[in-house]
C-alpha cells in the first residue's frame, strides 16, 4: 500500500472584471482556499494572473492602469490576507501574478507558497504566446510579448514535504519540453494556471478544439513524463473575452481524475498517489534506460 | 483553397503467425496495397516488423530461426513482389522490417519506398523498449534491446513530392522528442508502425489504458508539432500475445480523422490537407517565435 498521498485542489476562478477591487478578488481567492481546505486540500493551485483581469487581452495605454496589474511584492499589502489565510489553514498554494521587479522588469510569474505562508519557489513564464505589437482587426489582443519578458529562471523544481513540485504557466503546457525538463529535474507534480480564450482569431478553424487541446497537452505531458498535473483555469467571459474552464487534476497515466464543471469559481479536489509516478517511471518512461539524448540535439540548438 | 492534398492509407495487419510462409505474408501486404490503391492512396504505411511475427516477444534460441526474421536486402528475393506491385500501382509505401547489415548489425528498421519502387529513405528505431535479458515469470518477453542496436541514423526527413516525410517506429511515438526533432527538420507527415501488446506484465495497472495511451501519444505529437501522423498496428493475437489495433490517421489539430475498426488486415484511408501543417505552424506552434532552446538544455545532456 502506498503511503505517499497528497490531497490537492485546482481553484478555478471565474472572470475577474476590471471593475473588481483587489480586496474583492482576494476575498474570492480566500473563500476558494477555505473551501479547498474544507475538502482536505494540502495544496491549492490558482490560475495564471489570478489577481487581475488578463490584461494582455487589450492594449493598456494608461501607465497607471498598467502598473495596477503588477505586483511589486509578494506578499504585498494587497495580497497579505491570502498568505495569512494559508498559514491559518495550513494549506500551501500556487499563485499566478504579474510581477514587476525592483529594476522594473516585468514577468508572468507563479509563486509556490508553503503551508506557513512563505514563498519558497518562483517561476517566470518561458513560453510567452502572442505578439509584441497591437494586432488590428482582431476582437481581442494577446500582448504577452509586449508586457512580459521571457522568464529567466528556467524550469526549476522545488522539494516540498515528501515530493518535488514544478511550476508552469498557460502556454508552457503546449510545449513538450516544459514537462520533460521538469521531469528530468525530478518533478512529481506540475502546477500550472491558464487564461485561454475559447476562440483564436488567428486560427478560427481550431475554435471547436480549444478544450480538447487543453486537456490533450496536459494529459500527454503527464503521461509521457509520469507526473501529476494540476491545471487551473481563469474561466468564463472576462472583459468581453470568452475563456475555457476545464481545470483538471491529471494522473501519470494521463487520466483526468477530477475536472471542473463550470466556468466560474469552483474547487476541483483529488487525493493523488505520488508513488504512481515511481511505478510509471520504473517501467514505461524509464528515462535512463530508454532516452537517447544524442539524437535530440536539434531541440537545444539556438534559433531552432 | 488548398491544393496540397495527399491520399494516405494505414495498412493494418492482423497477426502474422510463425507458421506463415514469407510468400503468404507478402501476398497479404500486396492485397492491402492494392486495396489502398483502389481507394486512391498515394502513400501506404505498413506496421513495424510487418514481414514476420514480432519475435522480440519470445527468446529465440535457434540461430536459424532468428536469422529467418531478418532481411539482409530490401528489396530481397522474399519482398521483391511488393516493390513490383508498388511500381505497377504507382503507390509509395513505408515498410517496417528487421534489418541485418552486411557487417551483421541488427536494427528495427523502416524504409520509405517511392512510387517507382525505390528505397529513398531509411530509419532505424531509436527508442528500443524492453530488456536485453530474458525476464522470467512474465507471460511474454520484450527483447528488443537484445535483438536490435539503437538506431544510428537519427530522425531524418525525406523530401517526397510536394511534402516532407519523417519515419518513426512503435515506442518512438511515446517520446515527445521524436516528433519535435522531425518537425524541426521540416517533416509534415510522420509515418510509424507499431506492435503493442494490450497488456503490460510489468505495469498491469495500465492495461485498461493501452489504446488510450497509443492515441494520446500520437495525437499530442501531431498537435504539438503541427504534423500529420499515420500510425499503423500489427493487431490481434499473435503467438499468444494480444496486440492493440487502433491504426489511425491524425491531423495537425490532433484530431483522429480515420481509425481502424478491427484487429485484422484493414485499410484506413483519408485525404489529408498538407497546408493545415502550415496554418498551425504559422499560428500556435510557430517555433521561431515561441520556442526557448536555452531553457531546454537538460534534454540533450548525456545520460539525462
Amino acid at each position: 500500500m502506498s503511503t505517499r498521498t497528497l490531497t490537492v485542489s485546482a481553484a478555478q476562478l471565474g472572470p475577474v472584471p476590471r471593475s473588481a477591487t483587489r480586496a474583492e478578488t482576494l476575498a474570492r481567492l480566500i473563500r476558494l482556499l477555505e473551501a479547498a481546505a474544507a475538502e482536505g486540500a494540502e495544496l491549492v493551485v490558482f490560475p495564471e494572473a489570478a489577481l487581475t483581469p488578463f490584461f494582455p487581452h487589450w492594449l493598456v495605454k494608461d501607465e497607471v492602469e498598467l502598473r495596477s496589474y503588477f505586483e511589486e511584492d509578494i506578499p504585498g499589502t494587497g495580497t497579505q490576507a491570502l498568505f495569512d489565510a494559508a498559514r491559518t489553514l495550513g494549506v500551501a498554494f500556487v499563485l499566478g501574478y504579474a510581477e514587476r521587479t525592483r529594476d522594473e522588469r516585468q514577468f508572468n510569474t507563479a509563486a509556490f507558497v508553503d503551508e506557513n505562508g512563505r514563498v519558497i519557489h518562483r517561476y517566470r513564464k518561458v513560453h510567452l504566446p502572442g505578439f509584441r505589437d497591437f494586432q488590428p482587426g482582431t476582437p481581442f489582443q494577446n500582448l504577452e510579448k509586449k508586457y512580459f519578458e521571457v522568464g529567466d529562471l528556467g524550469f526549476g523544481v522545488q522539494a516540498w514535504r515528501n515530493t518535488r513540485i514544478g511550476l508552469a504557466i498557460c502556454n508552457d503546457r503546449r510545449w513538450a519540453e516544459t514537462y520533460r525538463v521538469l521531469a528530468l529535474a525530478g518533478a512529481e507534480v506540475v502546477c500550472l494556471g491558464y487564461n485561454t480564450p475559447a476562440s483564436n482569431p488567428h486560427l478560427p478553424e481550431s475554435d471547436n478544439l480549444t478544450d480538447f487541446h487543453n486537456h490533450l497537452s496536459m494529459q500527454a505531458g503527464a503521461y509521457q513524463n509520469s507526473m501529476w498535473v494540476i491545471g487551473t483555469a481563469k474561466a468564463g467571459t472576462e472583459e468581453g473575452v470568452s475563456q475555457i474552464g476545464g481545470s483538471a487534476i491529471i494522473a501519470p497515466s494521463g487520466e483526468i481524475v477530477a475536472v471542473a464543471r463550470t466556468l466560474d469559481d469552483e474547487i476541483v479536489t483529488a487525493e493523488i498517489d505520488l508513488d504512481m509516478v515511481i511505478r510509471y517511471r520504473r517501467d514505461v518512461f524509464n528515462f535512463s534506460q530508454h532516452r537517447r539524448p544524442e539524437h535530440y540535439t536539434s531541440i537545444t540548438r539556438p534559433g531552432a
Side-chain angles (χ1 to χ4, degrees), chain A residues 146-191:
Chain A
K146 175 180 178 62
Y147 296 137
F148 304 116
E149 289 180 46
V150 171
D152 59 351
L153 302 176
F155 292 101
V157 170
Q158 176 66 44
W160 176 68
R161 293 193 179 178
N162 58 355
T163 187
R164 293 171 69 84
I165 306 285
L167 305 181
I169 300 176
C170 195
N171 184 44
D172 286 324
R173 76 196 186 285
R174 303 186 196 274
W175 300 84
E177 290 88 349
T178 298
Y179 306 93
R180 185 69 95 220
V181 172
L182 288 170
L184 286 168
E188 296 189 319
V189 182
V190 173
C191 308

Side-chain angles (χ1 to χ4, degrees), chain A residues 241-280:
Chain A
V241 180
S242 168
Q243 298 203 128
I244 64 167
S247 300
I249 299 168
I250 300 167
S253 61
E255 292 170 288
I256 296 173
V257 300
V259 64
R261 300 294 179 188
T262 74
L263 294 174
D264 212 330
D265 292 13
E266 179 181 354
I267 290 292
V268 177
T269 302
E271 185 185 66
I272 68 177
D273 173 4
L274 296 169
D275 288 336
M276 196 171 175
V277 173
I278 294 172
R279 296 195 299 276
Y280 268 77

Side-chain angles (χ1 to χ4, degrees), chain A residues 16 39 43 47 49 53 64 71 84 86 126 129 137 184 190 196 241 256 301 303:
Chain A
V16 175
E39 294 186 9
L43 171 61
V64 175
E71 307 302 307
D84 295 343
V126 163
L184 286 168
V190 173
T196 299
V241 180
I256 296 173
R301 195 171 293 152

Side-chain angles (χ1 to χ4, degrees), chain A residues 179-187 221 223-227 280-293 296:
Chain A
Y179 306 93
R180 185 69 95 220
V181 172
L182 288 170
L184 286 168
Y223 168 60
Q224 295 182 338
N225 296 279
S226 310
M227 300 194 294
Y280 268 77
R281 284 187 187 167
R282 188 170 49 210
D283 184 67
V284 189
F285 294 104
N286 188 322
F287 286 176
S288 65
Q289 288 296 306
H290 303 313
R291 295 187 78 244
R292 293 292 159 192
Y296 309 153

Side-chain angles (χ1 to χ4, degrees), chain A residues 11-218:
Chain A
Q12 179 174 288
L13 278 171
V16 175
R18 286 165 90 166
S19 60
T21 66
R22 172 59 55 83
E24 287 167 347
T25 304
L26 206 73
R28 285 169 63 187
L29 269 62
I30 292 172
R31 279 196 296 274
L32 286 166
L33 198 72
E34 290 169 342
E39 294 186 9
E42 300 160 272
L43 171 61
V44 175
V45 179
F46 290 108
E48 174 191 36
L51 302 168
T52 62
F54 198 67
F55 58 92
H57 285 160
W58 65 92
L59 182 63
V60 183
K61 293 176 176 160
D62 178 63
E63 190 61 26
V64 175
E65 179 190 350
L66 186 61
R67 287 287 288 274
S68 76
Y69 297 133
F70 283 86
E71 307 302 307
E72 299 192 352
D73 297 291
I74 279 288
T77 51
T79 53
Q80 185 63 53
L82 177 64
F83 287 70
D84 295 343
R87 194 174 57 245
T88 301
L89 297 164
V91 175
F93 68 91
V94 173
L95 179 69
Y97 61 99
E99 177 188 10
R100 188 176 166 91
T101 69
R102 304 251 178 254
D103 54 350
E104 302 187 349
R105 301 173 69 193
Q106 296 178 172
F107 297 100
N108 188 339
T109 299
F112 185 88
V113 181
D114 75 7
E115 63 275 27
N116 300 308
R118 292 178 308 209
V119 175
I120 60 170
H121 183 61
R122 276 176 212 255
Y123 166 72
R124 291 167 171 167
K125 186 173 182 177
V126 163
H127 295 99
L128 297 174
F131 301 91
R132 279 174 198 82
D133 302 307
F134 181 82
Q135 303 293 304
T138 56
F140 59 91
Q141 302 294 310
N142 186 347
L143 295 172
E144 285 195 59
K145 286 188 196 294
K146 175 180 178 62
Y147 296 137
F148 304 116
E149 289 180 46
V150 171
D152 59 351
L153 302 176
F155 292 101
V157 170
Q158 176 66 44
W160 176 68
R161 293 193 179 178
N162 58 355
T163 187
R164 293 171 69 84
I165 306 285
L167 305 181
I169 300 176
C170 195
N171 184 44
D172 286 324
R173 76 196 186 285
R174 303 186 196 274
W175 300 84
E177 290 88 349
T178 298
Y179 306 93
R180 185 69 95 220
V181 172
L182 288 170
L184 286 168
E188 296 189 319
V189 182
V190 173
C191 308
L192 64 88
Y194 54 90
N195 283 268
T196 299
S199 73
N200 179 345
H202 304 281
L203 192 69
E205 74 183 85
S206 71
D207 282 356
N208 62 321
L209 303 170
T210 311
D211 284 295
F212 165 61
H213 289 158
N214 175 41
H215 285 159
L216 175 65
S217 294
M218 295 193 292

